[in-house]
Amino acid sequence: MIGQLIDGPLWYFSLAVFGVGMLYRLYSILRAGVKPDLATPRAGGGAGALRNLFSRFAPRRDVATRGRLTLIAGYLFHLGLFALLFFAQPHVDFLAERITGFGWPALPYWAFIISAELALVGLLLLWLHRLLHPVTRLLSSVDDHIGTGLVFLVMLSGCLALAQAFEPLRLLHLFLAELLLIYFPFSSLMHTFTFVFSRGYTGAMMGRKGVNA
Amino acid sequence: MSHDFAKGVAALESQIDSRIAAYFSSCVHCGLCAEACLFYTETQDPRYTPIYKLEPMRRLWKEQHTFWGKFAIKLGLSKPLSEQDFADWEELVYDSCTLCGRCSMVCPVGNDITYMIRKEREGFAAAGYTPPGLQEATHRALTIGSPMGVTLKTLQAALRHVERNTGLKIPMDRQGADYMALFSSMEVVNFPEYIESVARIFDAARLSWTISSQAFEATNSGIQIGSREAAREIVGRVVDAAESLGVKYVISPECGHAYTAIRWEGPNLIGRPYKFEIIHILELLDQLQQEGRLKLSGLTETPLTFHDPCQIVRRGGVIEPPRDLLGKVASGFVEMADHGEMNWCCGGGGGVSANERAEGLRLKVFDRKRKQLEALGVKTLVTACANCRIVLEEGIEDRDMDVAVIGLTELVAEHLATTPATASDGSGAES
Ligand code: SF4
Ligand code: SF4
């Protein structure tokens, strides 16, 4: 009964909250508007926006040294999570069945385990850093901890579910993922999408000035 | 100054555009921006983390633009922005930020934190929570025409001096000249040699130029304090003068904040593009040199380095011209490890040097520049901003360092190939 709820209605509900909430958040950002820049530009804003969208994936030299831990942990977590989310066999099957209607090649089992471990280590390091470093401690809000906590639980339950092939664990994993989807649009997890706007706006402005942001 | 909380909140609210909404939505509180800010690196005080300086604006955004924010306020789970927040953050917003833009270059999600702080200051200025030093500078800029109280008479006295030293006639209010030159008060008062250098170079290059008696001050305290109205009024004077003289170009002086004000913010303040172009003095010198109109000779052999004024380089986009020029006049030019668009600020931009109460902090964070200079071991520092120059000189003196600071335009003038023609009158015509 609970299993059916998690597998059926709750999944669609969480997906709807995620989709609508996310679109609403993006709409509310765009609604605020930006005034056109009347200063004569040195170069085009579009090229600057595009450049910055990609260049920020790599850190600047000086900050790469000073913020080494955050950067390494950040890469581990984000790359590991990306691999897991879109290339773990159960996810490929699930997404093909429920959303896309077609599948794609998945990671071999060992690669999946490595990605999961790297992502978990990265996330734990980021969380520890958040709790221990004076700067991140000052900046962090309840939202940051709920978001991190939920992602952690989803990943942990996912690993267990796969290792044990035990139906209740799969359901627990799906349930936690649904909670995460529902929480997502209300939280700073939204950076998954809004970073495109942030990098784009900054890149465009700096591009107009002739500076490679 | 009287306080008006409601006005401050309204002003802050009106600053929240798509950019700011995207930036707050994207911030993951990773803390990396702290590592780029000299106020944090030199003090290790987490309150100086760039994005933390935006806490009042973030709270307002949260309570007005997000579901949880509205919800939490309704349930009494979080406190709305209060007047005390303005009081508590004033020091962070003004004393510990030079608007240098370094944090904006490193944020992994791409937030332009500097833009946000500039906008946040609008709210603080409207609420009346601003440093007295900046209030006075803005008042003087509006009433006298210069943040340092430089009047036309003071300028004329400085110009007479220049005329005596150079034998040149400085062209005032010449209708139809190609270029109108602006200065910063700091140059008029502390570095008149800059004006002298400009006069000699323009004469050598046969430039048709003039100075307006109506608007010669390029700096804009309105921008530093965060008052759009004051900033518009100040920039409007330059626009009126330039358009009534019918010049094709207005030359921004070296001063970095002046350049940002007149080049990038000005048209947005007055709500229309200019009928003339703005060119930074270094861009102009580089251009004249490339066109062969400015002939330079000899090379300074002393090892020297260049301090990039943030607003000219990182926030202004004039990155190569100073390097091109240095290459033409110096053989021992070496770069600091972090230079160009990733330079470290002198510590006195964004109105910090006009804010007396921030002096202790400013001298403390000068340590960043000290370490850079010591790592390089060079004893001559060239820069291109009178404000940077004063701040660097004070830091060097405070730290008992043996480093000389010189202005780039003056260095270029020292290498002019020919002695200027004495009969030139700035009309651009051969004499
Ligand atoms: S670097 Fe960017 S994302 Fe990280 S705390 Fe600063 S503003 Fe937020
Ligand atoms: S603009 Fe410069 S001084 Fe201000 S917060 Fe950013 S890095 Fe620090």
Side-chain angles (χ1 to χ4, degrees):
Chain A
M1 166 69 190
I2 290 184
Q4 278 170 349
L5 184 72
I6 293 174
D7 242 345
L10 194 59
W11 162 251
Y12 291 107
F13 174 73
S14 57
L15 206 59
V17 172
F18 172 75
V20 173
M22 193 243 324
L23 288 177
Y24 182 73
R25 280 291 298 272
L26 298 184
Y27 163 72
S28 70
I29 288 175
L30 293 175
R31 192 183 48 180
V34 243
K35 291 210 182 90
D37 180 9
L38 301 171
T40 316
R42 252 198 206 104
L50 201 65
R51 186 187 183 282
N52 199 37
L53 185 58
F54 293 100
S55 68
R56 291 274 166 136
F57 283 118
R60 296 264 175 188
R61 185 193 66 84
D62 164 61
V63 168
T65 325
R66 296 170 160 277
R68 206 181 292 121
L69 177 72
T70 312
L71 284 164
I72 294 175
Y75 277 127
L76 287 180
F77 167 66
H78 284 94
L79 292 175
L81 181 67
F82 184 79
L84 281 184
L85 194 56
F86 297 109
F87 295 99
Q89 188 69 56
H91 287 165
V92 174
D93 296 343
F94 184 87
L95 294 171
E97 185 198 320
R98 305 269 181 123
I99 298 175
T100 56
F102 58 85
W104 53 91
L107 285 174
Y109 185 73
W110 61 266
F112 164 79
I113 294 295
I114 291 179
S115 315
E117 280 173 3
L118 293 182
L120 270 173
V121 168
L123 185 65
L124 285 176
L125 280 177
L126 286 176
W127 207 356
L128 271 179
H129 186 262
R130 192 176 280 303
L131 290 165
L132 299 177
H133 194 282
V135 167
T136 38
R137 216 168 48 211
L138 180 70
L139 295 179
S140 299
S141 61
V142 187
D143 168 45
D144 296 310
H145 294 293
I146 298 179
T148 316
L150 268 175
V151 173
F152 176 75
L153 290 177
V154 171
M155 280 170 45
L156 188 71
S157 60
C159 289
L160 292 175
L162 191 78
Q164 303 293 323
F166 181 44
E167 177 63 7
L169 274 178
R170 186 191 71 83
L171 283 176
L172 177 67
H173 175 58
L174 183 56
F175 175 67
L176 288 166
E178 287 164 354
L179 286 187
L180 184 66
L181 279 179
I182 294 171
Y183 184 66
F184 195 102
F186 304 106
S187 70
S188 60
L189 295 169
M190 274 300 290
H191 75 273
T192 315
F193 299 102
T194 56
F195 88 93
V196 177
F197 292 76
S198 297
R199 288 186 186 178
Y201 283 133
T202 302
M205 194 274 286
M206 298 301 275
R208 291 170 66 81
K209 290 183 174 181
V211 178
N212 286 337
Chain B
M1 189 168 190
S2 63
H3 296 149
D4 189 336
F5 177 60
K7 202 167 153 212
V9 172
L12 206 51
E13 210 179 301
S14 70
Q15 301 302 318
I16 302 179
D17 58 6
S18 289
R19 287 180 66 180
I20 289 183
Y23 294 157
F24 280 130
S25 303
S26 298
C27 178
V28 285
H29 295 150
C30 70
L32 281 177
C33 47
E35 303 298 345
C37 177
L38 73 171
F39 288 91
Y40 172 73
T41 61
E42 302 317 297
T43 63
Q44 295 292 306
D45 183 342
R47 292 183 328 124
Y48 293 145
T49 301
I51 198 72
Y52 188 68
K53 296 168 190 171
L54 286 146
E55 211 31 38
M57 201 183 205
R58 191 191 68 86
R59 274 192 213 161
L60 191 68
W61 164 78
K62 195 150 192 256
E63 69 190 54
Q64 292 187 343
H65 291 254
T66 69
F67 175 81
W68 282 139
K70 289 179 194 159
F71 188 68
I73 294 277
K74 283 225 169 67
L75 292 187
L77 295 173
S78 78
K79 281 191 294 173
L81 181 69
S82 70
E83 183 151 5
Q84 191 55 44
D85 294 325
F86 278 102
D88 293 345
W89 257 265
E90 185 192 310
E91 186 241 339
L92 293 182
V93 173
Y94 288 99
D95 302 22
S96 74
C97 179
T98 57
L99 301 178
C100 80
R102 205 165 187 275
C103 50
S104 300
M105 302 298 276
V106 308
C107 169
V109 296
N111 289 351
D112 185 354
I113 307 158
T114 316
Y115 170 82
M116 301 165 92
I117 297 178
R118 157 75 185 88
K119 293 288 175 187
E120 190 180 43
R121 285 187 181 185
E122 291 281 335
F124 275 68
Y129 284 92
T130 49
L134 264 181
Q135 286 167 21
E136 287 151 19
T138 310
H139 181 72
R140 280 191 296 268
L142 287 173
T143 51
I144 305 172
S146 139
M148 291 171 69
V150 171
T151 59
L152 180 60
K153 276 210 168 83
T154 329
L155 176 74
Q156 284 166 334
L159 294 180
R160 271 198 298 278
H161 224 80
V162 171
E163 290 184 332
R164 259 202 308 277
N165 286 353
T166 59
L168 296 167
K169 176 100 191 79
I170 306 289
M172 289 295 287
D173 297 320
R174 170 169 307 149
Q175 197 69 32
D178 289 341
Y179 293 84
M180 179 179 112
L182 297 174
F183 301 99
S184 78
S185 292
M186 193 78 90
E187 285 156 357
V188 179
V189 176
N190 298 76
F191 305 109
E193 54 271 34
Y194 167 78
I195 308 179
E196 193 171 317
S197 303
V198 162
R200 291 177 52 219
I201 293 170
F202 289 175
D203 175 64
R206 302 280 168 221
L207 202 77
S208 150
W209 72 294
T210 189
I211 297 173
S212 164
S213 57
Q214 300 305 306
F216 48 87
E217 172 64 59
T219 63
N220 194 321
S221 314
I223 286 174
Q224 297 180 334
I225 202 168
S227 165
R228 204 183 155 77
E229 292 72 41
R232 187 190 302 126
E233 159 79 29
I234 296 168
V235 97
R237 292 172 188 166
V238 173
V239 176
D240 290 346
E243 291 183 352
S244 76
L245 285 173
V247 297
K248 298 191 189 100
Y249 301 91
V250 167
I251 307 167
S252 160
E254 285 190 338
C255 173
H257 280 273
Y259 179 61
T260 290
I262 195 88
R263 172 69 174 90
W264 300 111
E265 289 224 23
N268 296 307
L269 288 165
I270 63 164
R272 65 170 171 87
Y274 299 145
K275 295 180 185 146
F276 50 87
E277 277 180 44
I278 298 284
I279 187 164
H280 188 266
I281 181 73
L282 297 184
E283 287 179 296
L284 178 60
L285 297 187
D286 196 31
Q287 186 186 311
L288 292 173
Q289 179 264 121
Q290 284 180 15
E291 288 169 355
R293 292 174 69 185
L294 173 59
K295 294 202 172 45
L296 301 168
S297 72
L299 291 172
T300 298
E301 281 166 15
T302 327
L304 47 82
T305 189
F306 183 63
H307 164 77
D308 291 274
C310 308
Q311 301 297 320
I312 298 177
V313 179
R314 177 165 45 240
R315 302 297 282 183
V318 184
I319 304 168
E320 289 312 319
R323 293 173 164 80
D324 281 355
L325 290 167
L326 274 168
K328 293 284 179 305
V329 296
S331 57
F333 168 49
V334 276
E335 294 273 22
M336 287 182 254
D338 292 311
H339 61 265
E341 61 214 24
M342 283 311 283
N343 80 304
W344 288 93
C345 179
C346 63
V352 171
S353 63
N355 174 3
E356 293 89 3
R357 78 170 181 214
E359 191 180 315
L361 183 60
R362 168 166 65 82
L363 290 170
K364 167 100 188 91
V365 302
F366 175 76
D367 264 344
R368 179 43 50 185
K369 198 50 68 180
R370 177 182 63 76
K371 288 174 205 160
Q372 278 195 290
L373 287 170
E374 285 175 358
L376 207 61
V378 164
K379 302 275 180 233
T380 305
L381 180 59
V382 182
T383 193
C385 170
N387 188 56
C388 290
R389 193 162 160 187
I390 283 272
V391 170
L392 291 166
E393 281 174 354
E394 282 179 19
I396 286 166
E397 196 186 311
D398 185 66
R399 290 287 183 276
D400 241 339
M401 294 165 69
D402 174 25
V403 174
V405 187
I406 51 177
L408 180 50
T409 305
E410 286 132 74
L411 185 63
V412 170
E414 278 170 24
H415 287 272
L416 276 175
T418 45
T419 34
T422 44
S424 171
D425 57 0
S427 65
E430 296 287 338
S431 51

